[in-house]
Amino acid sequence: MRLRSGPSSPADPYTRRLLASVPRLTDTGLALVGEDGTREVRPKRTVPDDAVPSVDVRDVTIDYGSSRAVDGVSFQVRRGEVLALVGESGSGKSTLAWALAGLRGLSGGAMTHEAGGQAGDGAGDLGASARRRPLALRRKIQLVFQNADTSLNPRRSVGDAVRRPLRFFGAAASRDEAAERARRLITDVRLDPDFADRLPAQLSGGQRQRIGIARALAGEPDVLIADEITTALDVSVQADVLRLLDDLRRERDVACLFISHDLAVVRGIADRVVVLRHGVVVEEGPTDAVFAAPGHPYTRQLMAAALEPDPDAVSPAGAADDWADAAEPGAVWDDVGDAHRVRRWRSADG
């Protein structure tokens, strides 16, 4: 007899696993999914209140010709913390990520790394391009690219992709040492070390993204920038990559700037969230606080647009139909409490 099932209770275990892997706006951590499709949520790691800021971004502006892509953005990312920058395409989140990595220049403001007070003579200045940064600083900020397919040389083994930064940053004294360390890094991202001998085309999309993470770890960074790294992956592979990223920040105590347009993904992995619209921060705070009571209509709009696999789930309140910015010099924010603040706005009707 053929089993019948509805969208909320599929009969096939694979379908159940897929649905269970989809992140939810109500998840307070990352989902751990069993073979039978059961799911539990792993609690987030608690970041100590006295955790040292790895990156400090102050009043940053970034222009493209006559157009302003980022306008007066400020935030900090602490050791062991995941800070998410969220917003639609064109919000400025990836522009900030690339500037932090030294691939885009600033028009104003400052970005600094915690090493500045130790190494001296501007060693912590992240406003300079990557090529102009001291090598010791350059290795500390590493970017995991969105599309692993195009960031790996198709003609070279993935082991070579991991070995090259080891040699460049002086983390390995010889070719043999670099090869051995590359294999250990590949193991660290939960792949068999023999993957080092394969070409990128012989790997799945999720495996290539893991190699991208291993390559970023080669410089022993204390800040990882993850720019939409799960966008092209199916939900089950996405869940695995997110858990890997969370494991690495726990094991290595790295700070992570996580870029995404997907609020459900952000809910599970981020400790704090900064919401960007047209290059301006409209809301920021601890993830749990922002998701429990989003104060800005744009944040509510993003949450309402998030896909929800449970057909019985209650959608978050939608955004105001029409609103206008009401921030003024000296009166930009409404402080909600618990480090949660909302850029001032008003209904266009009143």
Side-chain angles (χ1 to χ4, degrees), residues 190-222:
R190 318 308 189 242
L191 293 176
D192 189 290
D194 289 341
F195 273 60
D197 300 322
R198 300 188 186 184
L199 294 173
Q202 296 175 296
L203 275 60
S204 68
Q207 290 167 345
R208 286 193 291 269
Q209 194 57 278
R210 288 170 184 262
I211 292 298
I213 294 172
R215 179 174 57 182
L217 293 174
E220 299 180 355
D222 53 31

Side-chain angles (χ1 to χ4, degrees), residues 6-347:
S8 61
S9 56
D12 186 80
Y14 176 71
T15 306
R16 290 201 298 270
R17 288 197 300 273
L18 282 180
L19 285 174
S21 298
V22 177
R24 292 152 167 76
L25 288 174
T26 54
D27 288 344
T28 56
L30 294 176
L32 304 176
V33 179
E35 287 298 315
D36 59 352
T38 57
R39 77 193 307 266
E40 61 177 308
V41 174
R42 178 170 70 178
K44 294 177 185 175
R45 174 198 183 196
T46 300
V47 181
D49 292 337
D50 60 352
V52 176
S54 286
V55 167
D56 189 7
V57 174
R58 292 294 170 194
D59 298 319
V60 162
T61 60
I62 302 172
D63 296 331
Y64 289 122
S66 60
S67 175
R68 176 146 293 180
V70 174
D71 190 0
V73 170
S74 299
F75 60 80
Q76 289 183 331
V77 192
R78 299 176 296 168
R79 292 298 298 266
E81 177 181 56
V82 177
L83 173 70
L85 298 184
V86 302
E88 297 173 304
S89 178
S91 63
K93 57 188 187 300
S94 289
T95 299
L96 277 164
W98 283 61
L100 197 61
L103 304 176
R104 175 66 61 184
L106 305 184
S107 304
M111 292 179 169
T112 55
H113 181 268
E114 64 176 337
Q118 302 168 18
D121 293 331
D125 180 14
L126 298 174
S129 68
R131 290 185 176 182
R132 297 179 59 189
R133 294 175 184 177
L135 193 62
L137 176 63
R138 188 173 174 180
R139 66 185 294 177
K140 292 294 186 181
I141 315 288
Q142 290 295 308
L143 176 66
V144 183
F145 293 93
Q146 176 180 350
N147 193 337
D149 293 349
T150 57
S151 63
L152 295 172
N153 188 327
R155 295 181 177 84
R156 292 184 175 273
S157 70
V158 296
D160 183 67
V162 180
R163 288 192 294 270
R164 292 187 70 185
L166 286 169
R167 299 299 302 276
F168 178 78
F169 289 121
S174 66
R175 289 182 179 273
D176 288 344
E177 183 183 354
E180 178 58 32
R181 293 199 61 179
R183 293 171 70 87
R184 288 204 302 268
L185 284 167
I186 290 171
T187 302
D188 288 346
V189 295
R190 318 308 189 242
L191 293 176
D192 189 290
D194 289 341
F195 273 60
D197 300 322
R198 300 188 186 184
L199 294 173
Q202 296 175 296
L203 275 60
S204 68
Q207 290 167 345
R208 286 193 291 269
Q209 194 57 278
R210 288 170 184 262
I211 292 298
I213 294 172
R215 179 174 57 182
L217 293 174
E220 299 180 355
D222 53 31
V223 180
L224 277 178
I225 304 169
D227 186 7
E228 299 275 16
I229 64 170
T230 62
T231 299
L233 306 177
D234 71 48
V235 290
S236 60
V237 177
Q238 170 184 270
D240 290 339
V241 171
L242 290 172
R243 285 194 297 272
L244 170 63
L245 192 64
D246 190 50
D247 288 343
L248 292 171
R249 70 94 168 240
R250 293 168 185 250
E251 296 165 3
R252 296 171 179 256
D253 200 34
V254 296
C256 179
L257 185 66
F258 188 83
I259 313 298
S260 181
H261 65 279
D262 190 330
L263 269 289
V265 169
V266 165
R267 175 67 159 127
I269 195 169
D271 302 295
R272 290 189 299 122
V273 59
V274 172
V275 183
L276 286 161
R277 180 180 182 272
H278 296 167
V280 174
V281 177
V282 298
E283 187 161 2
E284 62 184 21
T287 303
D288 290 347
V290 172
F291 277 75
H296 198 279
Y298 180 67
T299 308
R300 295 198 293 271
Q301 176 185 327
L302 291 176
M303 292 177 65
L307 295 178
E308 175 55 64
D310 183 358
D312 299 321
V314 178
S315 297
D321 290 336
D322 200 5
W323 59 274
D325 188 66
E328 299 177 356
V332 175
W333 301 100
D334 285 326
D335 191 345
V336 185
D338 190 28
H340 179 191
R341 62 181 188 170
V342 179
R343 187 176 175 90
R344 292 189 173 181
W345 63 280
R346 60 176 174 79
S347 171

